[in-house]
Amino acid sequence: MLTLSEQECIAKIRKQECFHAEVADGSFIIKIEEYSPIICAAIHNGHKLRKELEKSFLLSKEERFFEEDPYTDELISSFPIQLIGNDSRFEYDLNRAKTLSTYFKTAWNKQVWQKPLTPKQRSISHAKHQAFYHVLEAIITVVEQEFRNAIVFDIHSYNYKRIEKDSPTFNIGAGQIDVERWGNIVSQFERQLNKIILPNLDVRAATDEVFHGRGYLISHVNAHFDNTLVLPTEVKKVFMDESTGEVYPLVLEELKTGFKDAISETAAFFVRRYGKKKRTQKADILSSNISPEIITLDKKLFSLCKNIETLNFINPINLGAERTRFLKRNSYIAPSFNYKQLNINPYQFRENLYKLPVDNVNDVGIQQLYRHVVDNLACKIDLLTSVGTEDFMYNSLKYYGEPSKTDIANARFLLHLNDDEFEEEALLSAEHAIDYFKYQANEWGLNCRIEKSSKIVAKAMVNNEKALLLINKDALFTEKELHAFAYHELGIHMLTTLNAKKHQLKVFSLGLTGNTHTQEGIALYSEYCSGSLTIERLKTIALRVIAVHYMLKHGDFVKTYHALMNEFELDKQVAFTITTRVYRGGGFTKDYLYLKGFRDILTIAKGQMIDNLLVGKTGLLDFDVISEMVERGLLNKPEPLFDISYTSSGDKVLDYIVNSIK
């Protein structure tokens, strides 16, 4: 952050330069990430007093905090133009006219000063007050010239416990607003504020119920500008204990998210009505630049976590030998798998993970995305450190979850389908598969490698770090399977791997929270879209759900293997592979997510486009933020290799079955 004078700030504003600075001896902060028709102010956020005034100041910290508006800066942190007061309103009040901004002796029926301020002391405070309004005027002048109209969100908070009647969570003061001209904007903002949901709290927005917006900021703007609307807004201090100043972090986080939506939706509505861009959307109001704080966080996160791909440590390194031993010895002695050693210090990893500067990210949506990733990675390191131990299954449940009754019912529904219509097909070798996948990758323009491997359990697997498709050297494929695997592994997994590498932000290579559920769901959905999904493939996916269920039920490799063999009449190799998939590591629950993910992606695709999920290793938890980042230009718009909009497969039986999955 820069330290600039009032004149230096105004010079930069007139040149439409973006900057972040403290101004007038640190009395207020100005942050301009991008010039936009929306300006946000939190003028009573500050708590500072000049040292020369502290000796004669009589109020306690708690008393001072009570009348100030702490944390209001966080409510506007997502927006590209911010003005934040650092000085206490007891030194001078930015919402009062300059000559009235310093209290002579008392405020709110309390004596503030031991003795009245001297003219010199008052003049210093008045100069700070004047500097703020000169900078605000410069901003509005440039914004009106550029965008024709401007809107200022003037955010405050209020104490409510001393109010005897029920009071609104949000109060818009319209006393100085030209309602005939701007009334539709006031109504829109009130509607958007009413959509905010806070934990364990009833939310209500109102206009002129507690406060009428009689402050100086709106008076000053109204006196100097014809095309700028100021919305004075009071937030009830439900996010903190108003008496002690103790903050309630969960409420504040939800409030920040809700304010981001309410302000940006209202601002977009304002611009559509009064601005030059009639197709303005919420994302257009927010900055299209990735802030330095996000870049710093992302680089540190990627440096810390780039080498912890789960399957690298969970796939057995002696798989081939144990498969041969198990199948040759009548299948009654469980295999003894060995695993790659973890080359990460888990204690240091966790410590460094939670030291990452997530709090420095101002955009609340992006900040939450990174918080989700950090929490997810903390669970992931627990999973990896427990490979081969009794704790692994517990950590797998924590990381991936377990199949619900609905998941199991869906699997059994698929497994009861009639097999009579299935035809025997010729089986093709791994070498043939590699040639086919290389051809298809070339057709789709995917710059990747394709190799055989003896170290993977699945028939095929993408190594994200190396952009490498591995083919199990012992795998056999039907022609239809090859087509399905091409769409699944190359069309989705490899595409999202390569797309993630194109972004400045590397978090999309690491994987967002829930990326397994989402990516496997899209991959299966791509098989469906391409016409290569078969009932037999669905039954294989369903078997994985049942295998996870049995593993959790009795935790015995041999018992699960024979249960699958006897109940579903499986080939020995198939039964071994499915059982190994869920017992590797010590009890791996991931496999139930394929069917669940397919169902969830199918449901979403019926109602909206899912293309933005292809930006990288994404998760549904952050889908809205991802789409917003794409719309803002922070992420490259992904282009599918084939149509993934929902449509009928053309197979009435398959469509009926797929749409029967609950």
Side-chain angles (χ1 to χ4, degrees):
M1 189 188 305
L2 302 173
T3 300
L4 299 176
S5 68
E6 167 197 336
Q7 293 75 21
E8 287 170 329
C9 285
I10 291 172
K12 285 182 174 292
I13 292 165
R14 286 173 178 166
K15 294 176 184 176
Q16 293 197 29
E17 293 181 14
C18 296
F19 63 100
H20 186 192
E22 280 194 329
V23 191
D25 298 324
S27 61
F28 66 95
I29 290 172
I30 176 171
K31 184 173 185 179
I32 303 179
E33 292 182 333
E34 192 170 295
Y35 283 83
S36 156
I38 170 176
I39 301 160
C40 292
I43 60 176
H44 286 158
N45 182 78
H47 195 60
K48 287 170 53 181
L49 276 176
R50 298 202 310 276
K51 284 188 177 181
E52 65 171 301
L53 301 180
E54 289 178 355
K55 292 179 182 178
S56 61
F57 190 70
L58 298 177
L59 300 183
S60 67
K61 179 181 178 182
E62 289 74 22
E63 287 176 311
R64 185 166 67 176
F65 217 51
F66 185 77
E67 297 298 349
E68 293 163 347
D69 298 349
Y71 308 110
T72 48
D73 63 329
E74 297 194 36
L75 302 185
I76 63 171
S77 63
S78 299
F79 297 97
I81 302 180
Q82 301 169 32
L83 282 163
I84 299 164
N86 287 338
D87 287 337
S88 172
R89 66 191 303 181
F90 287 102
E91 180 180 335
Y92 59 96
D93 193 330
L94 285 168
N95 218 23
R96 291 161 63 101
K98 184 175 72 172
T99 56
L100 300 173
S101 65
T102 50
Y103 298 100
F104 182 69
K105 198 169 184 181
T106 63
W108 292 285
N109 298 318
K110 291 182 179 180
Q111 186 174 345
V112 178
W113 306 108
Q114 199 169 36
K115 57 182 180 179
L117 298 179
T118 66
K120 183 178 179 181
Q121 288 171 330
R122 292 180 71 231
S123 69
I124 293 172
S125 295
H126 290 170
K128 292 182 177 184
H129 182 286
Q130 188 166 300
F132 175 88
Y133 279 99
H134 284 169
V135 170
L136 176 62
E137 288 172 21
I139 294 172
I140 296 176
T141 299
V142 167
V143 169
E144 280 196 356
Q145 288 171 353
E146 181 71 20
F147 299 100
R148 186 186 303 158
N149 292 277
I151 183 169
V152 178
F153 291 87
D154 177 21
I155 307 302
H156 303 265
S157 62
Y158 77 94
N159 301 308
Y160 63 94
K161 291 181 180 178
R162 59 189 172 189
I163 301 174
E164 294 182 0
K165 64 177 184 178
D166 174 58
S167 58
T169 318
F170 310 107
N171 183 96
I172 305 168
Q176 298 188 78
I177 294 175
D178 182 351
V179 176
E180 188 173 341
R181 181 184 183 189
W182 306 113
N184 56 347
I185 306 300
V186 176
S187 299
Q188 170 74 356
F189 191 36
E190 185 178 321
R191 282 193 296 272
Q192 293 300 328
L193 290 171
N194 269 309
K195 293 179 181 179
I196 294 175
I197 298 173
L198 300 178
N200 305 312
L201 292 168
D202 294 326
V203 172
R204 182 170 67 87
T207 300
D208 290 338
E209 187 171 315
V210 181
F211 302 94
H212 297 269
R214 303 291 186 190
Y216 179 70
L217 190 147
I218 183 172
S219 299
H220 184 90
V221 173
N222 285 349
H224 290 80
F225 298 95
D226 293 331
N227 297 313
T228 295
L229 166 64
V230 178
L231 289 173
T233 307
E234 296 277 352
V235 182
K236 195 175 184 177
K237 287 186 178 178
V238 293
F239 54 89
M240 62 182 288
D241 184 320
E242 65 181 47
S243 301
T244 65
E246 180 185 13
V247 69
Y248 306 140
L250 296 181
V251 180
L252 184 59
E253 281 300 308
E254 292 303 317
L255 190 57
K256 287 161 60 177
T257 301
F259 248 69
K260 177 182 175 181
D261 290 338
I263 290 178
S264 54
E265 290 285 5
T266 303
F269 181 80
F270 173 85
V271 174
R272 288 196 297 272
R273 291 294 184 95
Y274 302 104
K276 296 179 180 179
K277 292 177 64 177
K278 301 305 178 185
R279 293 187 178 181
T280 301
Q281 300 301 315
K282 168 186 166 183
D284 299 323
I285 297 302
L286 303 166
S287 175
S288 59
N289 299 313
I290 301 175
S291 71
E293 293 84 2
I294 296 173
I295 294 170
T296 298
L297 168 62
D298 188 78
K299 284 181 178 178
K300 289 182 177 181
L301 177 68
F302 186 71
S303 177
L304 179 63
C305 306
K306 62 185 177 183
N307 295 317
I308 58 168
E309 190 161 342
T310 307
L311 295 183
N312 287 347
F313 299 98
I314 291 174
N315 281 329
I317 58 177
N318 60 337
L319 175 63
E322 287 303 298
R323 181 197 295 115
T324 301
R325 187 181 68 81
F326 181 80
L327 295 176
K328 278 187 176 179
R329 297 186 180 181
N330 300 318
S331 311
Y332 284 104
I333 300 175
S336 178
F337 292 128
N338 297 327
Y339 303 95
K340 181 181 178 180
Q341 293 294 338
L342 187 67
N343 56 352
I344 299 168
N345 182 325
Y347 308 104
Q348 189 176 41
F349 178 86
R350 286 191 205 92
E351 183 179 348
N352 291 334
L353 190 63
Y354 283 111
K355 283 182 178 177
L356 291 169
V358 181
D359 285 342
N360 292 349
V361 175
N362 290 315
D363 187 291
V364 63
I366 298 174
Q367 184 190 75
Q368 286 183 345
L369 181 149
Y370 278 93
R371 283 197 192 285
H372 294 157
V373 170
V374 166
D375 286 342
N376 195 54
L377 286 165
C379 289
K380 187 173 187 177
I381 201 66
D382 288 343
L383 181 74
L384 296 182
T385 55
S386 59
V387 170
T389 72
E390 293 180 357
D391 291 335
F392 181 83
M393 186 172 70
Y394 166 76
N395 288 320
S396 180
L397 288 168
K398 188 167 66 169
Y399 190 74
Y400 293 110
E402 64 180 306
S404 65
K405 290 181 180 178
T406 301
D407 296 325
I408 295 166
N410 284 333
R412 291 204 174 278
F413 161 71
L414 293 172
L415 289 166
H416 279 96
L417 298 174
N418 196 334
D419 288 2
D420 292 345
E421 297 180 14
F422 298 152
E423 298 179 3
E424 289 290 332
E425 293 185 63
L427 295 176
L428 305 170
S429 68
E431 287 80 3
H432 189 284
I434 288 174
D435 290 340
Y436 176 80
F437 292 140
K438 284 182 177 178
Y439 168 80
Q440 190 61 66
N442 185 60
E443 286 291 297
W444 280 334
L446 297 173
N447 184 18
C448 62
R449 292 185 294 132
I450 302 169
E451 298 175 1
K452 278 194 298 185
S453 173
S454 61
K455 297 179 180 179
I456 62 172
V457 178
K459 285 189 174 184
M461 185 190 87
V462 170
N463 181 308
N464 296 316
E465 185 184 348
K466 299 178 180 178
L468 170 66
L469 175 60
L470 296 169
I471 307 300
N472 190 319
K473 73 178 185 63
D474 298 317
L476 297 172
F477 301 82
T478 66
E479 192 168 330
K480 195 152 193 176
E481 269 187 312
L482 282 181
H483 191 253
F485 271 87
Y487 278 82
H488 185 113
E489 299 293 345
L490 291 173
I492 299 299
H493 292 328
M494 187 61 74
L495 175 67
T496 53
T497 292
L498 296 175
N499 280 349
K501 293 179 183 296
K502 296 176 183 177
H503 304 307
Q504 186 175 6
L505 300 179
K506 301 307 178 187
V507 69
F508 295 96
S509 289
L510 293 176
L512 304 189
T513 301
N515 70 87
T516 299
H517 162 260
T518 305
Q519 297 301 298
E520 297 301 352
I522 301 172
L524 274 170
Y525 175 70
S526 76
E527 295 182 38
Y528 177 69
C529 292
S530 66
S532 53
L533 184 66
T534 63
I535 295 173
E536 187 173 12
R537 170 72 162 152
L538 283 172
K539 292 181 79 169
T540 299
I541 299 302
L543 281 169
R544 295 178 184 176
V545 179
I546 300 302
V548 172
H549 175 57
Y550 284 169
M551 183 269 291
L552 293 172
K553 186 176 180 181
H554 48 65
D556 186 304
F557 186 102
V558 174
K559 192 178 286 187
T560 297
Y561 170 82
H562 285 289
L564 294 174
M565 285 277 292
N566 296 334
E567 187 174 352
F568 304 107
E569 300 179 353
L570 301 182
D571 173 82
K572 288 182 178 182
Q573 292 276 1
V574 172
F576 177 84
T577 297
I578 291 173
T579 306
T580 298
R581 287 178 66 99
V582 303
Y583 276 90
R584 55 185 162 164
F588 198 37
T589 59
K590 169 194 166 187
D591 270 9
Y592 86 94
L593 288 172
Y594 288 74
L595 184 57
K596 180 182 176 71
F598 175 51
R599 177 202 67 192
D600 293 345
I601 291 295
L602 185 72
T603 300
I604 293 170
K606 288 178 180 179
Q608 66 183 100
M609 297 298 293
I610 62 169
D611 298 24
N612 288 339
L613 289 171
L614 301 180
V615 297
K617 304 305 176 181
T618 58
L620 291 180
L621 177 64
D622 296 299
F623 189 14
D624 289 344
V625 178
I626 295 162
S627 294
E628 179 195 292
M629 292 175 74
V630 171
E631 290 164 13
R632 290 166 63 181
L634 305 181
L635 298 173
N636 301 320
K637 177 73 177 174
E639 293 186 11
L641 298 173
F642 41 85
D643 186 8
I644 57 172
S645 57
Y646 177 75
T647 185
S648 168
S649 71
D651 183 332
K652 292 182 179 179
V653 174
L654 180 63
D655 286 343
Y656 174 79
I657 291 167
V658 164
N659 287 295
S660 296
I661 300 172
K662 299 177 181 177

